[in-house]
Amino acid sequence: MREEIPRKTVYRLSVYLRCLRRLSELGESAVSSDALAKAAGVKPAQLRKDLAHLGALGKRGFGYEVRALEEKLVGILGRTRLQPVILAGVGNLGAALMGYDGFAKEGFEILAGFDIDAGRAKARGGFKQPVLEMGELPDFVRRAVVNMAVLCVPGKSAQEVANQLVEAGIQAILNFSPILLQVPDEVMVNNVNLAIELENLSYFAKRL
Amino acid sequence: MREEIPRKTVYRLSVYLRCLRRLSELGESAVSSDALAKAAGVKPAQLRKDLAHLGALGKRGFGYEVRALEEKLVGILGRTRLQPVILAGVGNLGAALMGYDGFAKEGFEILAGFDIDAGRAKARGGFKQPVLEMGELPDFVRRAVVNMAVLCVPGKSAQEVANQLVEAGIQAILNFSPILLQVPDEVMVNNVNLAIELENLSYFAKRL
DNA sequence: TAGATTGTTAATCGATTAACAATC
DNA sequence: TAGATTGTTAATCGATTAACAATC
């Protein structure tokens, strides 16, 4: 359990956790690797191998305790408490994500949005959080002890704003811009490119 | 060129295309695998291998013609014309994506949004596109000849709505719900789970 | 005990990378 | 021609899967 868990495995652990929550809600108390794997869309052998990274959690001939496994995963994934996040670039998409309740439901709280033109951004209206000027970011991050950011600025300014985030002490960036960010090794970046997802889909849809 | 292009390669082709567009804008007419790979965040050997799937497009000792490669990729990825898309689930995230200009800029047009309660959805206001009742979906899809959909309904109704989409003739679904969709083999699904992206990031951010 | 299902090993598969001959 | 860079082969790497002994 104290060896490095592979990246792809960590990602799947999140998927398993969501499946377990669903089973929990349905009142299931135990689940086999077979059943859980089916719900998560993976092979049973892969599920067992993934879970083995966390120690021997199952009972042979029986399966896994839903509740216990759920708690184990929450512990591993470090989501016991609310995670504060900031958002940079309150444009079209950024504004949407600030109001997205999917984050809140999953334990992430967007504390504030930042924009080079906070006034214009605020004019969109309907924000629960403050929208501040980029210049206020460093102080805010230090005081609120935030280490995650969502980046929603256009490609042209993405690298520059990423630099500011890193400078302010941000450790992890969820990047929606179409640019490959250059960041120090200790900063983690996950990229989400909605246009590429659609483009990819359209490629495979055509050869139906 | 007529063998199957691997899934991951297709995804990277989209990334390369975006890098080429940027080079184009900067007035570059040629690029080496080394330079393009760096911009895309991959190894040069991988870039060359990926491009080799499309035929021999480079000139040895010289590199690739930016414009020609760009056009080749556009052709392969099938993005010569505007792609019509519909969106199901005009809630928090769905409403945001309907207004997201990132799709439009990249050649995808969301023709309409559908919701079990179109009235409530419309009350959000500010839509450029019509918001229709789910019941109107089948007719709409047939008439407008759409084969791609963005799915933004809550987990509980995701499978049911996916069934309706498939029934109506949709070939490809960009799924934002946290559920593994069961669809026929010929229907393609790409999953985007923003909460999982953040959770994943927070895991790695902690072990800084 | 008999039946079921895990944890783990070993085999397979596919994707990435290094290296270099081909060639512009 | 000399220098550069591709296209491609072969080696490496990591991830997935099958299979089964361990064990509840």
Side-chain angles (χ1 to χ4, degrees), chain A residues 99-136:
Chain A
Y100 179 43
D101 55 9
F103 286 144
K105 264 190 214 132
E106 299 272 2
F108 294 98
E109 186 188 11
I110 299 184
L111 297 182
F114 295 86
D115 202 286
I116 20 155
D117 189 346
R120 185 206 45 182
K122 250 184 290 195
R124 290 174 173 275
F127 294 110
K128 298 180 293 271
Q129 309 96 330
V131 178
L132 308 172
E133 295 290 339
M134 279 303 298
E136 304 179 61

PDB file of all heavy atoms in Angstrom, chain A residues 99-136:
ATOM      1  N   GLY A  99     -20.874  28.409 -11.408  1.00  0.00           N
ATOM      2  CA  GLY A  99     -22.209  28.101 -10.912  1.00  0.00           C
ATOM      3  C   GLY A  99     -22.547  26.619 -10.972  1.00  0.00           C
ATOM      4  O   GLY A  99     -23.633  26.211 -10.577  1.00  0.00           O
ATOM      5  N   TYR A 100     -21.626  25.819 -11.463  1.00  0.00           N
ATOM      6  CA  TYR A 100     -21.886  24.388 -11.666  1.00  0.00           C
ATOM      7  C   TYR A 100     -21.996  23.672 -10.324  1.00  0.00           C
ATOM      8  O   TYR A 100     -21.042  23.625  -9.555  1.00  0.00           O
ATOM      9  CB  TYR A 100     -20.762  23.789 -12.498  1.00  0.00           C
ATOM     10  CG  TYR A 100     -20.886  22.301 -12.754  1.00  0.00           C
ATOM     11  CD1 TYR A 100     -22.115  21.731 -13.095  1.00  0.00           C
ATOM     12  CD2 TYR A 100     -19.778  21.465 -12.688  1.00  0.00           C
ATOM     13  CE1 TYR A 100     -22.233  20.370 -13.345  1.00  0.00           C
ATOM     14  CE2 TYR A 100     -19.879  20.112 -12.939  1.00  0.00           C
ATOM     15  CZ  TYR A 100     -21.107  19.577 -13.262  1.00  0.00           C
ATOM     16  OH  TYR A 100     -21.217  18.229 -13.517  1.00  0.00           O
ATOM     17  N   ASP A 101     -23.142  23.095 -10.068  1.00  0.00           N
ATOM     18  CA  ASP A 101     -23.317  22.470  -8.755  1.00  0.00           C
ATOM     19  C   ASP A 101     -22.682  21.080  -8.676  1.00  0.00           C
ATOM     20  O   ASP A 101     -22.562  20.498  -7.607  1.00  0.00           O
ATOM     21  CB  ASP A 101     -24.796  22.424  -8.353  1.00  0.00           C
ATOM     22  CG  ASP A 101     -25.649  21.731  -9.400  1.00  0.00           C
ATOM     23  OD1 ASP A 101     -25.073  21.148 -10.342  1.00  0.00           O
ATOM     24  OD2 ASP A 101     -26.883  21.782  -9.288  1.00  0.00           O
ATOM     25  N   GLY A 102     -22.270  20.550  -9.810  1.00  0.00           N
ATOM     26  CA  GLY A 102     -21.590  19.250  -9.817  1.00  0.00           C
ATOM     27  C   GLY A 102     -20.311  19.273  -8.983  1.00  0.00           C
ATOM     28  O   GLY A 102     -19.942  18.289  -8.351  1.00  0.00           O
ATOM     29  N   PHE A 103     -19.626  20.393  -8.983  1.00  0.00           N
ATOM     30  CA  PHE A 103     -18.410  20.506  -8.180  1.00  0.00           C
ATOM     31  C   PHE A 103     -18.761  20.501  -6.698  1.00  0.00           C
ATOM     32  O   PHE A 103     -18.186  19.767  -5.901  1.00  0.00           O
ATOM     33  CB  PHE A 103     -17.649  21.795  -8.508  1.00  0.00           C
ATOM     34  CG  PHE A 103     -16.930  21.761  -9.822  1.00  0.00           C
ATOM     35  CD1 PHE A 103     -16.837  22.889 -10.614  1.00  0.00           C
ATOM     36  CD2 PHE A 103     -16.326  20.594 -10.270  1.00  0.00           C
ATOM     37  CE1 PHE A 103     -16.155  22.860 -11.823  1.00  0.00           C
ATOM     38  CE2 PHE A 103     -15.646  20.557 -11.482  1.00  0.00           C
ATOM     39  CZ  PHE A 103     -15.566  21.693 -12.259  1.00  0.00           C
ATOM     40  N   ALA A 104     -19.704  21.367  -6.339  1.00  0.00           N
ATOM     41  CA  ALA A 104     -20.100  21.510  -4.944  1.00  0.00           C
ATOM     42  C   ALA A 104     -20.551  20.166  -4.388  1.00  0.00           C
ATOM     43  O   ALA A 104     -20.145  19.757  -3.299  1.00  0.00           O
ATOM     44  CB  ALA A 104     -21.200  22.549  -4.826  1.00  0.00           C
ATOM     45  N   LYS A 105     -21.365  19.472  -5.148  1.00  0.00           N
ATOM     46  CA  LYS A 105     -21.889  18.181  -4.706  1.00  0.00           C
ATOM     47  C   LYS A 105     -20.782  17.190  -4.396  1.00  0.00           C
ATOM     48  O   LYS A 105     -20.946  16.307  -3.563  1.00  0.00           O
ATOM     49  CB  LYS A 105     -22.780  17.589  -5.813  1.00  0.00           C
ATOM     50  CG  LYS A 105     -24.258  17.876  -5.628  1.00  0.00           C
ATOM     51  CD  LYS A 105     -25.072  17.036  -6.620  1.00  0.00           C
ATOM     52  CE  LYS A 105     -26.303  17.797  -7.080  1.00  0.00           C
ATOM     53  NZ  LYS A 105     -26.472  17.768  -8.530  1.00  0.00           N
ATOM     54  N   GLU A 106     -19.671  17.321  -5.103  1.00  0.00           N
ATOM     55  CA  GLU A 106     -18.595  16.355  -4.947  1.00  0.00           C
ATOM     56  C   GLU A 106     -17.525  16.832  -3.986  1.00  0.00           C
ATOM     57  O   GLU A 106     -16.431  16.262  -3.915  1.00  0.00           O
ATOM     58  CB  GLU A 106     -17.963  16.044  -6.308  1.00  0.00           C
ATOM     59  CG  GLU A 106     -18.934  15.441  -7.292  1.00  0.00           C
ATOM     60  CD  GLU A 106     -18.984  13.917  -7.155  1.00  0.00           C
ATOM     61  OE1 GLU A 106     -18.302  13.368  -6.284  1.00  0.00           O
ATOM     62  OE2 GLU A 106     -19.716  13.300  -7.945  1.00  0.00           O
ATOM     63  N   GLY A 107     -17.795  17.929  -3.298  1.00  0.00           N
ATOM     64  CA  GLY A 107     -16.873  18.354  -2.263  1.00  0.00           C
ATOM     65  C   GLY A 107     -15.838  19.381  -2.678  1.00  0.00           C
ATOM     66  O   GLY A 107     -14.864  19.600  -1.970  1.00  0.00           O
ATOM     67  N   PHE A 108     -16.038  20.011  -3.830  1.00  0.00           N
ATOM     68  CA  PHE A 108     -15.124  21.078  -4.235  1.00  0.00           C
ATOM     69  C   PHE A 108     -15.852  22.406  -4.188  1.00  0.00           C
ATOM     70  O   PHE A 108     -16.949  22.545  -4.712  1.00  0.00           O
ATOM     71  CB  PHE A 108     -14.606  20.828  -5.657  1.00  0.00           C
ATOM     72  CG  PHE A 108     -13.739  19.609  -5.735  1.00  0.00           C
ATOM     73  CD1 PHE A 108     -14.256  18.394  -6.158  1.00  0.00           C
ATOM     74  CD2 PHE A 108     -12.407  19.660  -5.357  1.00  0.00           C
ATOM     75  CE1 PHE A 108     -13.462  17.254  -6.216  1.00  0.00           C
ATOM     76  CE2 PHE A 108     -11.603  18.533  -5.407  1.00  0.00           C
ATOM     77  CZ  PHE A 108     -12.129  17.329  -5.838  1.00  0.00           C
ATOM     78  N   GLU A 109     -15.216  23.360  -3.541  1.00  0.00           N
ATOM     79  CA  GLU A 109     -15.854  24.658  -3.429  1.00  0.00           C
ATOM     80  C   GLU A 109     -15.042  25.709  -4.167  1.00  0.00           C
ATOM     81  O   GLU A 109     -13.867  25.936  -3.840  1.00  0.00           O
ATOM     82  CB  GLU A 109     -15.964  25.056  -1.948  1.00  0.00           C
ATOM     83  CG  GLU A 109     -16.750  26.343  -1.754  1.00  0.00           C
ATOM     84  CD  GLU A 109     -16.702  26.846  -0.313  1.00  0.00           C
ATOM     85  OE1 GLU A 109     -15.893  26.327   0.483  1.00  0.00           O
ATOM     86  OE2 GLU A 109     -17.449  27.775   0.005  1.00  0.00           O
ATOM     87  N   ILE A 110     -15.629  26.317  -5.169  1.00  0.00           N
ATOM     88  CA  ILE A 110     -14.948  27.407  -5.865  1.00  0.00           C
ATOM     89  C   ILE A 110     -15.128  28.666  -5.029  1.00  0.00           C
ATOM     90  O   ILE A 110     -16.226  29.196  -4.911  1.00  0.00           O
ATOM     91  CB  ILE A 110     -15.493  27.598  -7.292  1.00  0.00           C
ATOM     92  CG1 ILE A 110     -15.253  26.311  -8.099  1.00  0.00           C
ATOM     93  CG2 ILE A 110     -14.820  28.786  -7.961  1.00  0.00           C
ATOM     94  CD1 ILE A 110     -15.662  26.379  -9.553  1.00  0.00           C
ATOM     95  N   LEU A 111     -14.013  29.116  -4.455  1.00  0.00           N
ATOM     96  CA  LEU A 111     -14.079  30.229  -3.505  1.00  0.00           C
ATOM     97  C   LEU A 111     -14.272  31.569  -4.198  1.00  0.00           C
ATOM     98  O   LEU A 111     -14.939  32.455  -3.678  1.00  0.00           O
ATOM     99  CB  LEU A 111     -12.786  30.296  -2.687  1.00  0.00           C
ATOM    100  CG  LEU A 111     -12.454  29.112  -1.796  1.00  0.00           C
ATOM    101  CD1 LEU A 111     -11.168  29.392  -1.042  1.00  0.00           C
ATOM    102  CD2 LEU A 111     -13.595  28.843  -0.826  1.00  0.00           C
ATOM    103  N   ALA A 112     -13.638  31.717  -5.364  1.00  0.00           N
ATOM    104  CA  ALA A 112     -13.697  33.003  -6.054  1.00  0.00           C
ATOM    105  C   ALA A 112     -13.273  32.822  -7.501  1.00  0.00           C
ATOM    106  O   ALA A 112     -12.589  31.860  -7.847  1.00  0.00           O
ATOM    107  CB  ALA A 112     -12.777  34.012  -5.374  1.00  0.00           C
ATOM    108  N   GLY A 113     -13.692  33.770  -8.345  1.00  0.00           N
ATOM    109  CA  GLY A 113     -13.237  33.798  -9.730  1.00  0.00           C
ATOM    110  C   GLY A 113     -12.342  35.008  -9.929  1.00  0.00           C
ATOM    111  O   GLY A 113     -12.505  36.025  -9.259  1.00  0.00           O
ATOM    112  N   PHE A 114     -11.384  34.879 -10.844  1.00  0.00           N
ATOM    113  CA  PHE A 114     -10.482  35.989 -11.129  1.00  0.00           C
ATOM    114  C   PHE A 114     -10.487  36.259 -12.624  1.00  0.00           C
ATOM    115  O   PHE A 114     -10.588  35.328 -13.427  1.00  0.00           O
ATOM    116  CB  PHE A 114      -9.059  35.655 -10.660  1.00  0.00           C
ATOM    117  CG  PHE A 114      -8.970  35.514  -9.164  1.00  0.00           C
ATOM    118  CD1 PHE A 114      -9.253  34.299  -8.552  1.00  0.00           C
ATOM    119  CD2 PHE A 114      -8.642  36.610  -8.371  1.00  0.00           C
ATOM    120  CE1 PHE A 114      -9.188  34.170  -7.169  1.00  0.00           C
ATOM    121  CE2 PHE A 114      -8.574  36.494  -6.990  1.00  0.00           C
ATOM    122  CZ  PHE A 114      -8.856  35.272  -6.390  1.00  0.00           C
ATOM    123  N   ASP A 115     -10.374  37.543 -12.980  1.00  0.00           N
ATOM    124  CA  ASP A 115     -10.410  37.894 -14.400  1.00  0.00           C
ATOM    125  C   ASP A 115      -9.602  39.165 -14.614  1.00  0.00           C
ATOM    126  O   ASP A 115      -9.501  39.997 -13.706  1.00  0.00           O
ATOM    127  CB  ASP A 115     -11.864  38.091 -14.843  1.00  0.00           C
ATOM    128  CG  ASP A 115     -12.024  37.918 -16.349  1.00  0.00           C
ATOM    129  OD1 ASP A 115     -11.615  38.827 -17.098  1.00  0.00           O
ATOM    130  OD2 ASP A 115     -12.534  36.863 -16.764  1.00  0.00           O
ATOM    131  N   ILE A 116      -9.028  39.306 -15.800  1.00  0.00           N
ATOM    132  CA  ILE A 116      -8.290  40.555 -16.080  1.00  0.00           C
ATOM    133  C   ILE A 116      -9.252  41.732 -16.103  1.00  0.00           C
ATOM    134  O   ILE A 116      -8.843  42.870 -15.953  1.00  0.00           O
ATOM    135  CB  ILE A 116      -7.578  40.585 -17.461  1.00  0.00           C
ATOM    136  CG1 ILE A 116      -8.193  39.539 -18.388  1.00  0.00           C
ATOM    137  CG2 ILE A 116      -6.073  40.503 -17.336  1.00  0.00           C
ATOM    138  CD1 ILE A 116      -8.024  39.865 -19.837  1.00  0.00           C
ATOM    139  N   ASP A 117     -10.505  41.458 -16.356  1.00  0.00           N
ATOM    140  CA  ASP A 117     -11.504  42.525 -16.337  1.00  0.00           C
ATOM    141  C   ASP A 117     -12.680  42.064 -15.479  1.00  0.00           C
ATOM    142  O   ASP A 117     -13.713  41.645 -15.990  1.00  0.00           O
ATOM    143  CB  ASP A 117     -11.958  42.843 -17.764  1.00  0.00           C
ATOM    144  CG  ASP A 117     -12.840  44.085 -17.818  1.00  0.00           C
ATOM    145  OD1 ASP A 117     -13.307  44.528 -16.740  1.00  0.00           O
ATOM    146  OD2 ASP A 117     -13.049  44.611 -18.916  1.00  0.00           O
ATOM    147  N   ALA A 118     -12.469  42.156 -14.172  1.00  0.00           N
ATOM    148  CA  ALA A 118     -13.466  41.626 -13.237  1.00  0.00           C
ATOM    149  C   ALA A 118     -14.805  42.340 -13.397  1.00  0.00           C
ATOM    150  O   ALA A 118     -15.865  41.730 -13.249  1.00  0.00           O
ATOM    151  CB  ALA A 118     -12.967  41.763 -11.803  1.00  0.00           C
ATOM    152  N   GLY A 119     -14.747  43.605 -13.751  1.00  0.00           N
ATOM    153  CA  GLY A 119     -15.979  44.369 -13.922  1.00  0.00           C
ATOM    154  C   GLY A 119     -16.854  43.773 -15.014  1.00  0.00           C
ATOM    155  O   GLY A 119     -18.031  43.484 -14.814  1.00  0.00           O
ATOM    156  N   ARG A 120     -16.249  43.572 -16.172  1.00  0.00           N
ATOM    157  CA  ARG A 120     -16.989  43.017 -17.300  1.00  0.00           C
ATOM    158  C   ARG A 120     -17.517  41.624 -16.943  1.00  0.00           C
ATOM    159  O   ARG A 120     -18.647  41.265 -17.244  1.00  0.00           O
ATOM    160  CB  ARG A 120     -16.059  42.926 -18.510  1.00  0.00           C
ATOM    161  CG  ARG A 120     -16.730  42.471 -19.792  1.00  0.00           C
ATOM    162  CD  ARG A 120     -15.699  41.810 -20.710  1.00  0.00           C
ATOM    163  NE  ARG A 120     -14.858  40.893 -19.928  1.00  0.00           N
ATOM    164  CZ  ARG A 120     -13.847  40.195 -20.423  1.00  0.00           C
ATOM    165  NH1 ARG A 120     -13.511  40.330 -21.679  1.00  0.00           N
ATOM    166  NH2 ARG A 120     -13.148  39.380 -19.644  1.00  0.00           N
ATOM    167  N   ALA A 121     -16.650  40.846 -16.278  1.00  0.00           N
ATOM    168  CA  ALA A 121     -17.041  39.490 -15.907  1.00  0.00           C
ATOM    169  C   ALA A 121     -18.236  39.520 -14.963  1.00  0.00           C
ATOM    170  O   ALA A 121     -19.201  38.773 -15.146  1.00  0.00           O
ATOM    171  CB  ALA A 121     -15.868  38.763 -15.252  1.00  0.00           C
ATOM    172  N   LYS A 122     -18.185  40.433 -13.992  1.00  0.00           N
ATOM    173  CA  LYS A 122     -19.260  40.509 -13.003  1.00  0.00           C
ATOM    174  C   LYS A 122     -20.590  40.879 -13.657  1.00  0.00           C
ATOM    175  O   LYS A 122     -21.655  40.503 -13.172  1.00  0.00           O
ATOM    176  CB  LYS A 122     -18.913  41.539 -11.919  1.00  0.00           C
ATOM    177  CG  LYS A 122     -18.618  40.875 -10.575  1.00  0.00           C
ATOM    178  CD  LYS A 122     -18.368  41.894  -9.485  1.00  0.00           C
ATOM    179  CE  LYS A 122     -17.041  42.607  -9.695  1.00  0.00           C
ATOM    180  NZ  LYS A 122     -16.589  43.340  -8.490  1.00  0.00           N
ATOM    181  N   ALA A 123     -20.487  41.611 -14.777  1.00  0.00           N
ATOM    182  CA  ALA A 123     -21.692  42.051 -15.474  1.00  0.00           C
ATOM    183  C   ALA A 123     -22.549  40.874 -15.942  1.00  0.00           C
ATOM    184  O   ALA A 123     -23.729  41.024 -16.221  1.00  0.00           O
ATOM    185  CB  ALA A 123     -21.304  42.940 -16.656  1.00  0.00           C
ATOM    186  N   ARG A 124     -21.952  39.706 -16.049  1.00  0.00           N
ATOM    187  CA  ARG A 124     -22.715  38.513 -16.413  1.00  0.00           C
ATOM    188  C   ARG A 124     -23.773  38.216 -15.352  1.00  0.00           C
ATOM    189  O   ARG A 124     -24.803  37.642 -15.627  1.00  0.00           O
ATOM    190  CB  ARG A 124     -21.799  37.288 -16.504  1.00  0.00           C
ATOM    191  CG  ARG A 124     -20.851  37.322 -17.671  1.00  0.00           C
ATOM    192  CD  ARG A 124     -19.884  36.152 -17.612  1.00  0.00           C
ATOM    193  NE  ARG A 124     -19.085  36.101 -18.831  1.00  0.00           N
ATOM    194  CZ  ARG A 124     -19.482  35.511 -19.937  1.00  0.00           C
ATOM    195  NH1 ARG A 124     -20.635  34.893 -19.981  1.00  0.00           N
ATOM    196  NH2 ARG A 124     -18.722  35.525 -21.020  1.00  0.00           N
ATOM    197  N   GLY A 125     -23.416  38.603 -14.108  1.00  0.00           N
ATOM    198  CA  GLY A 125     -24.382  38.480 -13.020  1.00  0.00           C
ATOM    199  C   GLY A 125     -24.596  37.065 -12.536  1.00  0.00           C
ATOM    200  O   GLY A 125     -24.127  36.093 -13.151  1.00  0.00           O
ATOM    201  N   GLY A 126     -25.272  36.985 -11.386  1.00  0.00           N
ATOM    202  CA  GLY A 126     -25.683  35.683 -10.879  1.00  0.00           C
ATOM    203  C   GLY A 126     -24.592  34.875 -10.195  1.00  0.00           C
ATOM    204  O   GLY A 126     -24.702  33.659 -10.096  1.00  0.00           O
ATOM    205  N   PHE A 127     -23.545  35.524  -9.726  1.00  0.00           N
ATOM    206  CA  PHE A 127     -22.487  34.769  -9.058  1.00  0.00           C
ATOM    207  C   PHE A 127     -22.714  34.682  -7.568  1.00  0.00           C
ATOM    208  O   PHE A 127     -23.088  35.676  -6.933  1.00  0.00           O
ATOM    209  CB  PHE A 127     -21.120  35.410  -9.315  1.00  0.00           C
ATOM    210  CG  PHE A 127     -20.709  35.341 -10.742  1.00  0.00           C
ATOM    211  CD1 PHE A 127     -20.664  36.489 -11.523  1.00  0.00           C
ATOM    212  CD2 PHE A 127     -20.387  34.123 -11.321  1.00  0.00           C
ATOM    213  CE1 PHE A 127     -20.290  36.428 -12.863  1.00  0.00           C
ATOM    214  CE2 PHE A 127     -20.005  34.055 -12.652  1.00  0.00           C
ATOM    215  CZ  PHE A 127     -19.967  35.203 -13.427  1.00  0.00           C
ATOM    216  N   LYS A 128     -22.482  33.515  -7.020  1.00  0.00           N
ATOM    217  CA  LYS A 128     -22.545  33.358  -5.569  1.00  0.00           C
ATOM    218  C   LYS A 128     -21.207  33.773  -4.956  1.00  0.00           C
ATOM    219  O   LYS A 128     -21.136  34.142  -3.793  1.00  0.00           O
ATOM    220  CB  LYS A 128     -22.809  31.878  -5.210  1.00  0.00           C
ATOM    221  CG  LYS A 128     -24.130  31.343  -5.717  1.00  0.00           C
ATOM    222  CD  LYS A 128     -24.344  29.894  -5.331  1.00  0.00           C
ATOM    223  CE  LYS A 128     -23.372  28.954  -6.024  1.00  0.00           C
ATOM    224  NZ  LYS A 128     -23.835  28.455  -7.322  1.00  0.00           N
ATOM    225  N   GLN A 129     -20.145  33.639  -5.753  1.00  0.00           N
ATOM    226  CA  GLN A 129     -18.802  33.936  -5.260  1.00  0.00           C
ATOM    227  C   GLN A 129     -18.335  35.304  -5.740  1.00  0.00           C
ATOM    228  O   GLN A 129     -18.829  35.818  -6.740  1.00  0.00           O
ATOM    229  CB  GLN A 129     -17.807  32.883  -5.761  1.00  0.00           C
ATOM    230  CG  GLN A 129     -18.218  31.462  -5.507  1.00  0.00           C
ATOM    231  CD  GLN A 129     -18.901  30.837  -6.719  1.00  0.00           C
ATOM    232  OE1 GLN A 129     -19.554  31.503  -7.506  1.00  0.00           O
ATOM    233  NE2 GLN A 129     -18.723  29.533  -6.864  1.00  0.00           N
ATOM    234  N   PRO A 130     -17.353  35.868  -5.082  1.00  0.00           N
ATOM    235  CA  PRO A 130     -16.775  37.129  -5.557  1.00  0.00           C
ATOM    236  C   PRO A 130     -16.000  36.929  -6.855  1.00  0.00           C
ATOM    237  O   PRO A 130     -15.431  35.863  -7.079  1.00  0.00           O
ATOM    238  CB  PRO A 130     -15.827  37.533  -4.419  1.00  0.00           C
ATOM    239  CG  PRO A 130     -15.558  36.284  -3.654  1.00  0.00           C
ATOM    240  CD  PRO A 130     -16.776  35.434  -3.798  1.00  0.00           C
ATOM    241  N   VAL A 131     -16.020  37.954  -7.688  1.00  0.00           N
ATOM    242  CA  VAL A 131     -15.189  37.961  -8.899  1.00  0.00           C
ATOM    243  C   VAL A 131     -14.171  39.068  -8.722  1.00  0.00           C
ATOM    244  O   VAL A 131     -14.536  40.235  -8.565  1.00  0.00           O
ATOM    245  CB  VAL A 131     -16.030  38.214 -10.163  1.00  0.00           C
ATOM    246  CG1 VAL A 131     -15.126  38.263 -11.392  1.00  0.00           C
ATOM    247  CG2 VAL A 131     -17.090  37.140 -10.337  1.00  0.00           C
ATOM    248  N   LEU A 132     -12.903  38.690  -8.712  1.00  0.00           N
ATOM    249  CA  LEU A 132     -11.859  39.655  -8.368  1.00  0.00           C
ATOM    250  C   LEU A 132     -10.893  39.884  -9.525  1.00  0.00           C
ATOM    251  O   LEU A 132     -10.837  39.096 -10.477  1.00  0.00           O
ATOM    252  CB  LEU A 132     -11.081  39.129  -7.149  1.00  0.00           C
ATOM    253  CG  LEU A 132     -11.947  38.732  -5.941  1.00  0.00           C
ATOM    254  CD1 LEU A 132     -11.105  38.040  -4.883  1.00  0.00           C
ATOM    255  CD2 LEU A 132     -12.654  39.958  -5.372  1.00  0.00           C
ATOM    256  N   GLU A 133     -10.142  40.967  -9.436  1.00  0.00           N
ATOM    257  CA  GLU A 133      -9.114  41.243 -10.439  1.00  0.00           C
ATOM    258  C   GLU A 133      -7.953  40.265 -10.289  1.00  0.00           C
ATOM    259  O   GLU A 133      -7.629  39.841  -9.174  1.00  0.00           O
ATOM    260  CB  GLU A 133      -8.578  42.679 -10.274  1.00  0.00           C
ATOM    261  CG  GLU A 133      -9.591  43.778 -10.533  1.00  0.00           C
ATOM    262  CD  GLU A 133      -9.963  43.889 -12.008  1.00  0.00           C
ATOM    263  OE1 GLU A 133      -9.190  43.424 -12.876  1.00  0.00           O
ATOM    264  OE2 GLU A 133     -11.057  44.427 -12.290  1.00  0.00           O
ATOM    265  N   MET A 134      -7.305  39.958 -11.385  1.00  0.00           N
ATOM    266  CA  MET A 134      -6.175  39.033 -11.363  1.00  0.00           C
ATOM    267  C   MET A 134      -5.121  39.453 -10.335  1.00  0.00           C
ATOM    268  O   MET A 134      -4.495  38.611  -9.693  1.00  0.00           O
ATOM    269  CB  MET A 134      -5.510  38.959 -12.745  1.00  0.00           C
ATOM    270  CG  MET A 134      -6.206  38.058 -13.737  1.00  0.00           C
ATOM    271  SD  MET A 134      -6.410  36.348 -13.174  1.00  0.00           S
ATOM    272  CE  MET A 134      -4.705  35.841 -12.994  1.00  0.00           C
ATOM    273  N   GLY A 135      -4.938  40.755 -10.193  1.00  0.00           N
ATOM    274  CA  GLY A 135      -3.925  41.251  -9.270  1.00  0.00           C
ATOM    275  C   GLY A 135      -4.151  40.826  -7.822  1.00  0.00           C
ATOM    276  O   GLY A 135      -3.207  40.739  -7.022  1.00  0.00           O
ATOM    277  N   GLU A 136      -5.382  40.529  -7.496  1.00  0.00           N
ATOM    278  CA  GLU A 136      -5.699  40.150  -6.114  1.00  0.00           C
ATOM    279  C   GLU A 136      -5.455  38.668  -5.856  1.00  0.00           C
ATOM    280  O   GLU A 136      -5.583  38.203  -4.719  1.00  0.00           O
ATOM    281  CB  GLU A 136      -7.162  40.490  -5.812  1.00  0.00           C
ATOM    282  CG  GLU A 136      -7.493  41.960  -6.066  1.00  0.00           C
ATOM    283  CD  GLU A 136      -8.955  42.285  -5.782  1.00  0.00           C
ATOM    284  OE1 GLU A 136      -9.366  42.103  -4.621  1.00  0.00           O
ATOM    285  OE2 GLU A 136      -9.672  42.690  -6.725  1.00  0.00           O
TER     286      GLU A 136
END
